[in-house]
Amino acid sequence: MPDPRTIAELALEVRSKNAGPFWVTMELFMRDAAGYAQVADPDYLNPTVIARLYGVPADTIQMFRLPSLNVVKISFPRPVSQGSLRDRDIHAGQHHVPLALHPLPH
Amino acid sequence: MNEVRVLTPSGMLGSGFPPETLTRGIELGADVIAVDGGSTDSGPYYLGSGTAKTAAAAVAQDLRLMLRAAASAGIPLIVGSCGTSGTDSGVDWVAGIVREILAAEGLSLRVATIYSEQQPAVLRSLLGRIRPLPPANALDPEVLDSCSHIVGMMGHEPIVRALEAGADVVLAGRATDTAIAAAYPLMKGLPAGPTWHAAKIVECGGQCTTNPRAGGVLATIDAGGFTIEPLDPGNACTPTSVAAHMLYETVNPFSMREPAGTIVVSDATYRALDDRRVRVEGSRFEPAAQHTIKLEGARVTGYETMSFTAIRDPHILGQIDTWAALMRKTIGEWVTRTLGLGDGDYEFDLRLYGHNAILDDLEPDRSPPREVGVMLLVHAPDQQTATAVAKVANPLMLHLPTPDMNYLPSLAFATSPAETERGPVYEFALNHAVDVDSPTALFRINLPEAHSA
């Protein structure tokens, strides 16, 4: 099997969802401690990177690292009001994709 | 009681569950059945309109099974956030279904209802005690009057009051997901830390198991912690599946605010008792100095009309972004020319499903699609204007060529008529909490009366 190139290829699951009407939250469920160490590295994933991927202010982003679960969790205020004309993802269920397709560090 | 067993057959009233879920839970000694009837997850429409997301027949089917089980076992049934958003109309809707079932089944159960809808005038009198929750700003009192419905999210206290008054069935308006499952064990004196954490873990039914589609769960709460197990013998809880549920639909996986305080799970431990049961210890509940009730409100922002066509022509798809830009520009020009409307009179969104409709500018993959669905969504202050704009755009949705085509293509409308009127659309207008002196003050509790055939 070729080396994984994206977070999705390395992870067990990458998902996103509303956390109440005003927040989006995403989780990277990694397969093992080694995969977790790669994505939990603050030099690799941090609010600046998330801000660029999602067009949201870096200072509104909250990140949680859970080594016991091999999970990195990211939350930020919903950039588009839920159910409004510009909201194309009511449950924010597909918003994990830009993060999932983010290239891994070399 | 030294321990209390909470049976949650599913994460949502009306979503269905295998009947064996209940029989198995009763066999295992369930003391209470608790199920959530609501959510804000599907958007502001349900609160704004005071209607339910779930079908009445599906809600009735779930309730029939639970009412029979509760009656035969002699244990209470608690339903929270009735009717999706917990409006008074939602409570009345579920109560009506319950009464029909009790009559049809010949069951005699005492039903309590708790109403959570709030009046703007009352909230105006509490303005100084209403605080914004991030990312909201300070409350503009005008917003209160603009909402079609406002509900307060109750904690466990109003539910406990109904149970103490002898209710067999408690139908609550808007309640925190956890309060529904926490009320009975707290009433029986079980400690707050394990109770609230267990309530959070069971609130989505089988979500905390390795197979969320296999029905609900049973949490056994005692003085030292709680044990969680799935009700389908073929399903399993693992330390990971249980711990991971604290991540689900939460901003912060370590702490969660309730009206009466904060659930803190950063020191909780998760241990497998066998291959399908998990023991959780070390959960804490930190009582708040100030009891708060979170408010939810929704208001109409306008009316929408939708039109949907589709493209398979490879020539147009080869320059789909150019085509879409031309469409946006031409719709604006035609609407101004024919209807005399300009910016501010209406808005529209043109979404290219199959290309970039969901992520728009965030879409990382720009490769050419094989087919594209084109949704035009028009938003206006009234339905007539929204539909007029969509009708003016109709010939473009049928025939717009790319700039380099010297003939008019015909695109693939999905329906006739092409336009669908969506009616009023809503937004969540409140993200605030009000400080209260009494946890039951904002809620109207109708204590039980006997209902029987």
Side-chain angles (χ1 to χ4, degrees):
Chain A
M1 200 174 146
D3 283 346
R5 288 159 300 157
T6 63
I7 293 178
E9 289 177 9
L10 187 67
L12 202 61
E13 183 189 359
V14 182
R15 70 183 186 187
S16 60
K17 197 77 199 289
N18 294 332
F22 299 97
W23 288 79
V24 182
T25 191
M26 306 183 186
E27 287 109 23
L28 309 174
F29 287 88
M30 307 312 291
R31 291 173 196 277
D32 50 33
Y36 169 79
Q38 285 200 58
V39 299
D41 181 352
D43 288 336
Y44 170 62
L45 272 192
N46 51 54
T48 309
V49 174
I50 303 300
R52 183 162 46 78
L53 285 175
Y54 287 97
V56 294
D59 61 3
T60 64
I61 295 165
Q62 298 187 27
M63 292 186 72
F64 305 91
R65 294 177 174 84
L66 296 96
S68 61
L69 294 174
N70 293 326
V71 166
V72 174
K73 183 174 171 73
I74 297 152
S75 302
F76 52 82
R78 219 176 190 288
V80 180
S81 174
Q82 193 191 18
S84 71
L85 180 66
R86 310 285 170 203
D87 183 21
R88 293 154 169 222
D89 189 359
I90 296 285
H91 302 83
Q94 290 291 296
H95 267 67
H96 61 286
V97 172
L99 182 59
L101 297 183
H102 192 56
L104 288 168
H106 292 294
Chain B
M1 286 170 109
N2 293 328
E3 49 182 42
V4 167
R5 292 177 168 81
V6 181
L7 194 177
T8 305
S10 77
M12 167 75 90
L13 179 69
S15 65
F17 53 85
E20 299 75 28
T21 297
L22 286 168
T23 45
R24 173 93 177 136
I26 300 294
E27 278 169 17
L28 289 171
D31 296 299
V32 60
I33 302 171
V35 68
D36 188 12
S39 174
T40 58
D41 195 36
S42 297
Y45 173 81
Y46 304 101
L47 175 59
S49 63
T51 58
K53 182 187 176 184
T54 40
V59 168
Q61 172 62 14
D62 283 3
L63 283 170
R64 191 175 298 115
L65 295 172
M66 290 189 290
L67 288 165
R68 280 180 193 155
S72 67
I75 61 174
L77 167 65
I78 301 168
V79 183
S81 299
C82 286
T84 305
S85 58
T87 54
D88 292 358
S89 58
V91 175
D92 289 336
W93 181 68
V94 174
I97 296 171
V98 165
R99 285 193 195 97
E100 280 178 23
I101 294 168
L102 293 181
E105 300 274 323
L107 297 173
S108 180
L109 296 175
R110 289 161 296 174
V111 179
T113 49
I114 307 174
Y115 293 96
S116 61
E117 205 153 337
Q118 308 298 317
Q119 296 308 312
V122 174
L123 294 175
R124 272 179 177 271
S125 73
L126 295 170
L127 265 186
R129 310 190 72 182
I130 299 178
R131 295 173 290 104
L133 300 170
N137 297 318
L139 179 64
D140 172 357
E142 303 292 318
V143 169
L144 296 171
D145 299 306
S146 72
C147 288
S148 48
H149 295 280
I150 300 172
V151 291
M153 283 183 100
M154 71 184 81
H156 63 287
E157 301 90 347
I159 299 168
V160 168
R161 181 168 292 185
L163 290 170
E164 284 175 342
D168 301 308
V169 179
V170 180
L171 305 177
R174 189 65 173 138
T176 72
D177 293 357
T178 39
I180 305 152
Y184 189 81
L186 289 174
M187 180 177 85
K188 291 296 177 184
L190 273 294
T195 296
W196 282 109
H197 192 183
K200 165 60 188 167
I201 295 301
V202 303
E203 51 108 9
C204 281
Q207 187 85 31
C208 63
T209 69
T210 55
N211 180 9
R213 287 178 293 279
V217 291
L218 185 80
T220 304
I221 302 156
D222 57 50
F226 68 94
T227 300
I228 178 104
E229 65 187 295
L231 290 163
D232 181 330
N235 195 5
C237 285
T238 66
T240 301
S241 76
V242 175
H245 188 65
M246 277 307 290
L247 305 172
Y248 189 65
E249 294 180 338
T250 57
V251 171
N252 184 321
F254 302 117
S255 72
M256 244 181 84
R257 181 66 205 255
E258 292 289 325
T262 303
I263 310 169
V264 181
V265 304
S266 38
D267 299 329
T269 59
Y270 303 81
R271 179 167 53 92
L273 290 182
D274 50 38
D275 57 3
R276 51 187 304 282
R277 294 183 306 149
V278 170
R279 175 76 180 166
V280 183
E281 295 178 351
S283 331
R284 298 200 311 274
F285 188 78
E286 296 174 351
Q290 174 62 56
H291 197 101
T292 56
I293 297 296
K294 189 177 168 188
L295 301 172
E296 293 175 345
R299 62 180 173 188
V300 172
T301 61
Y303 294 77
E304 284 182 358
T305 299
M306 181 168 77
S307 180
F308 196 97
T309 192
I311 308 173
R312 181 62 183 84
D313 186 325
H315 181 85
I316 302 175
L317 294 177
Q319 43 186 303
I320 186 69
D321 289 317
T322 304
W323 180 88
L326 178 63
M327 175 66 101
R328 291 187 180 99
K329 177 168 166 283
T330 313
I331 288 175
E333 289 168 0
W334 284 31
V335 168
T336 299
R337 194 178 72 212
T338 56
L339 302 176
L341 299 177
D343 288 351
D345 295 326
Y346 74 101
E347 286 182 283
F348 69 87
D349 195 29
L350 191 76
R351 309 173 176 189
L352 303 179
Y353 281 93
H355 178 52
N356 66 358
I358 298 167
L359 295 173
D360 202 5
D361 292 342
L362 304 178
E363 175 58 57
D365 181 356
R366 313 300 290 195
S367 54
R370 184 166 57 87
E371 67 178 42
V372 162
V374 180
M375 180 195 283
L376 173 70
L377 197 53
V378 184
H379 185 275
D382 60 83
Q383 191 76 65
Q384 195 182 5
T385 302
T387 298
V389 170
K391 283 179 181 292
V392 166
N394 183 279
L396 298 168
M397 294 282 280
L398 177 59
H399 286 312
L400 183 76
T402 56
D404 66 347
M405 288 169 77
N406 55 10
Y407 60 95
L408 294 184
S410 290
L411 303 179
F413 272 118
T415 59
S416 172
E419 294 80 21
T420 301
E421 294 191 336
R422 298 195 60 248
V425 290
Y426 299 86
E427 68 176 353
F428 284 116
L430 291 176
N431 186 27
H432 297 76
V434 54
D435 294 345
V436 290
D437 295 328
S438 155
T440 54
L442 291 178
F443 306 101
R444 289 155 287 137
I445 307 170
N446 283 3
L447 293 175
E449 304 158 26
H451 290 281
S452 59

